[in-house]
Each structure stands twice: as structure tokens, then as C-alpha cells.
């Protein structure tokens, strides 16, 4: 099996799940290696995502570990099936891997729920708005990298309009709606686009007004990507140095509660759209 010095987040996730499965079965790395006819280092690299794993080997491992959850095993097999190169691969080597991992995460998710407090979700942004965000980065990005990031961000919108579009729920704080990235004209363009996108049957935009007061997760953006099985959900957090990913069971439960709270306390879809139109008129 070929190795990759810097595994993608998807590869690392598969390795982490294989390790979790092995530990649940009470098997040591040496035992797992013996059952596969491999040395211990290769199994360790497999669990770190450094060494790729074939779909067939995933099924063998699941059998060796006595895993009877067939939907879970099938989902892991899908994770291992990397024969098709995603559109984001054209940016590999030109942009940070974390940005590509976000695009891949969104592409394979069965449902996405996003919580935003400062700016709007990436897949719902127009180019001028995204460019204003990247222009504010420190240290400053080169013009070519800014443009590449804008192109990548716009490409991510494919998930909303492809043949099998992803269901997308965006919980947006009023503060994010009022932030004028790029100035008033760009803000108007962005909010009008947001209203248009919210009309798609697979997109739900819900606003949390400032009057709602305190809310969980204040201060950072959260993307919860649901997998084909609950165990394979992933949370992506924004940070100044790039996207961070977490999939520990306790963290997934915590952020599910965050998203459920948002759903219960945000305005309904129609009310949210009216609220955004009101802000556009103010601009």
C-alpha cells in the first residue's frame, strides 16, 4: 500500500476509526498485524492515516475485530474508497491542506449544520465578500493566493446545486449579517445572495437576533458534518491558523447540543428571510 507523508483529514479519520475498532475488540497492534500478515509499524501507520487502506482490508479488519455493525463497516469502506479524485485536488500544493480538507468534508457529508457569529458560511458567500475576508488576513496573503482561495470557496458551492445536493442548515447571528466586509455595496450584494440561496429546497437559513442574548459557542464558527452513520460525524472549527477538526464522541455530542439549541432559538426560515431583507433595506 502506498504511503502519504501528510495524510488528509479523511485518511486520518479512517485510521482513527480502525484504531477505535481494534481497541473495542481488545486487540493489540501486534495481534492485528499478525492477523493481516503485516508488521506492527504498517498497522500503526494505517491507524495514523499515513498508510492508505483498501476497502477490502477494511472489511477484513472489521471481521477480525468482530464488528457486527454493517452500516458502520460500509461507511468505513466508503472512507477507504479513494479511487475518485475530488475537484479540490487541483488546488493541492497551492493552498493549505486544511482548506482542501474542509471542501472534502463538505462534499462527503450527508447533512451540514453551520453556526456563524462573525461572517457568513463559506458555501453561501459571493466572491467579493470572500475576497474581503481573505484580504484582511495577517500576515497579508499574496494577490494570487487570495484569488485561489476565492476560487476554492466558490467551488465549494457545488454541494448545494449538484444532482444530489447536501442539506445545509445555516444558523447565523445577527452580528454576522451586519458586518460589512468589503463595504456597504458588497454587504448588500452578499445579503441579497443569501436570501436567494435560502429559497433552495435543501438550504435552511435561520437568524439568531441580538435580542436573544447569550448563546452556546459564542465567539467561534462551527461546522457539523453528518456522516452516513452517526459515529462518523465531524466537527470543524475555524481558527486563526486554519481549520481544526474533532470527532471524539463527547465533542460530537456537545456540538449536536449546540446545533439543537440554535435550531430551537433562531427565527424560522420565513422570518429569517424577512429579517435579512430588512437589513438590506437599511444598507
Amino acid at each position: 500500500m502506498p504511503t502519504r507523508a501528510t495524510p488528509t483529514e479523511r485518511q486520518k479519520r479512517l485510521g482513527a476509526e480502525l484504531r477505535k475498532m481494534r481497541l473495542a475488540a481488545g486487540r493489540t497492534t501486534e495481534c492485528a498485524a499478525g492477523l493481516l500478515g503485516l508488521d506492527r509499524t504498517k498497522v500503526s501507520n494505517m491507524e495514523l492515516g499515513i498508510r492508505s487502506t483498501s476497502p477490502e482490508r477494511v472489511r477484513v479488519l472489521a471481521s477480525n475485530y468482530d464488528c457486527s455493525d454493517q452500516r458502520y463497516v460500509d461507511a468505513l469502506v466508503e472512507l477507504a474508497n479513494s479511487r475518485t479524485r475530488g475537484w479540490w485536488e487541483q488546488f493541492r500544493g497551492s493552498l493549505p491542506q486544511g482548506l482542501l480538507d474542509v471542501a472534502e468534508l463538505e462534499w462527503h457529508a450527508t447533512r451540514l449544520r453551520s453556526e456563524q457569529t462573525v461572517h457568513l458560511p463559506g458555501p453561501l458567500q459571493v466572491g467579493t465578500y470572500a475576497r474581503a475576508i481573505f484580504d484582511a488576513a495577517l500576515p497579508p496573503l499574496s494577490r494570487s493566493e487570495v484569488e485561489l482561495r476565492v476560487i476554492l470557496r466558490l467551488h465549494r458551492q457545488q454541494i448545494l446545486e449538484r444532482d444530489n445536493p447536501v442539506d445545509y442548515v445555516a444558523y447565523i447571528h445577527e452580528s454576522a449579517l451586519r458586518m460589512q466586509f468589503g463595504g456597504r455595496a458588497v454587504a448588500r450584494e452578499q445579503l441579497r445572495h443569501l436570501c436567494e440561496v435560502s429559497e433552495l429546497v435543501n438550504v435552511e437559513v435561520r437568524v439568531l437576533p441580538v435580542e436573544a442574548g447569550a448563546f452556546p459557542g459564542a465567539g467561534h464558527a462551527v461546522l457539523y458534518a453528518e456522516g452516513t452513520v452517526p459515529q462518523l460525524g465531524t466537527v470543524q472549527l475555524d481558527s486563526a491558523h486554519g481549520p481544526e477538526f474533532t470527532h471524539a464522541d463527547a465533542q460530537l455530542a456537545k456540538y449536536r447540543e449546540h446545533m439543537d439549541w440554535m435550531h430551537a432559538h433562531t427565527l424560522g426560515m420565513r422570518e429569517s428571510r424577512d429579517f435579512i431583507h430588512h437589513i438590506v433595506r437599511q444598507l
Side-chain angles (χ1 to χ4, degrees), residues 32 35 44 52 76 88 95 112 143 145 152 156 158 167 184 215 251 280 283:
L35 290 171
S44 295
S52 62
L76 293 181
W88 50 88
L95 289 175
L112 293 165
R143 180 49 46 192
E145 181 161 359
L152 175 71
R156 286 166 54 193
Q158 297 176 56
D167 288 333
R184 295 171 69 89
F215 58 95
Q251 294 298 314
V280 171
L283 290 171

Side-chain angles (χ1 to χ4, degrees), residues 206-254:
R206 301 174 70 97
V207 174
L208 183 69
V210 294
E211 289 84 358
F215 58 95
H220 64 262
V222 180
L223 175 68
Y224 193 109
E226 298 180 6
T228 51
V229 294
Q231 301 98 309
L232 294 184
T234 299
V235 169
Q236 182 255 311
L237 306 172
D238 285 346
S239 70
H241 57 268
E244 297 179 354
F245 302 87
T246 182
H247 47 73
D249 292 340
Q251 294 298 314
L252 290 179
K254 172 184 176 180

Side-chain angles (χ1 to χ4, degrees), residues 116 119-131 133-134 153-154 157 190 193:
Q116 301 286 340
H119 56 71
L120 304 185
L124 307 185
Q125 294 177 8
V126 295
T128 51
Y129 182 93
R131 186 173 293 107
I133 291 175
F134 293 132
R153 183 152 293 185
L154 295 179
Q157 297 176 8
Q190 175 60 74
H193 174 74

Side-chain angles (χ1 to χ4, degrees), residues 70-84:
Q70 194 56 51
R71 289 189 66 239
Y72 176 57
V73 174
D74 289 343
L76 293 181
V77 167
E78 181 61 30
L79 271 178
N81 191 357
S82 57
R83 296 173 185 172
T84 302

Side-chain angles (χ1 to χ4, degrees), residues 172-193:
I172 304 173
H173 195 272
E174 180 182 344
S175 299
L177 298 175
R178 295 190 179 277
M179 289 289 288
Q180 296 183 19
F181 291 102
R184 295 171 69 89
V186 172
R188 282 196 301 268
E189 176 192 9
Q190 175 60 74
L191 293 183
R192 286 170 177 157
H193 174 74

Side-chain angles (χ1 to χ4, degrees), residues 75-220:
L76 293 181
V77 167
E78 181 61 30
L79 271 178
N81 191 357
S82 57
R83 296 173 185 172
T84 302
R85 288 169 57 87
W87 61 263
W88 50 88
E89 291 294 337
Q90 64 186 295
F91 296 92
R92 191 166 300 284
S94 300
L95 289 175
Q97 181 168 302
L99 299 182
L100 310 189
D101 286 337
V102 172
E104 185 175 26
L105 176 68
E106 292 173 338
W107 185 264
H108 290 287
T110 57
R111 184 180 181 228
L112 293 165
R113 293 201 287 174
S114 175
E115 176 186 328
Q116 301 286 340
T117 61
V118 179
H119 56 71
L120 304 185
L124 307 185
Q125 294 177 8
V126 295
T128 51
Y129 182 93
R131 186 173 293 107
I133 291 175
F134 293 132
D135 278 339
L138 290 176
L141 301 172
S142 68
R143 180 49 46 192
S144 61
E145 181 161 359
V146 167
E147 294 307 316
L148 276 176
R149 289 183 181 223
V150 171
I151 293 171
L152 175 71
R153 183 152 293 185
L154 295 179
H155 270 60
R156 286 166 54 193
Q157 297 176 8
Q158 297 176 56
I159 61 172
L160 305 178
E161 298 181 349
R162 65 191 187 190
D163 291 339
N164 58 331
V166 173
D167 288 333
Y168 198 106
V169 185
Y171 304 114
I172 304 173
H173 195 272
E174 180 182 344
S175 299
L177 298 175
R178 295 190 179 277
M179 289 289 288
Q180 296 183 19
F181 291 102
R184 295 171 69 89
V186 172
R188 282 196 301 268
E189 176 192 9
Q190 175 60 74
L191 293 183
R192 286 170 177 157
H193 174 74
L194 181 63
C195 288
E196 292 174 4
V197 175
S198 71
E199 298 280 0
L200 297 175
V201 296
N202 57 303
V203 176
E204 186 174 346
V205 173
R206 301 174 70 97
V207 174
L208 183 69
V210 294
E211 289 84 358
F215 58 95
H220 64 262

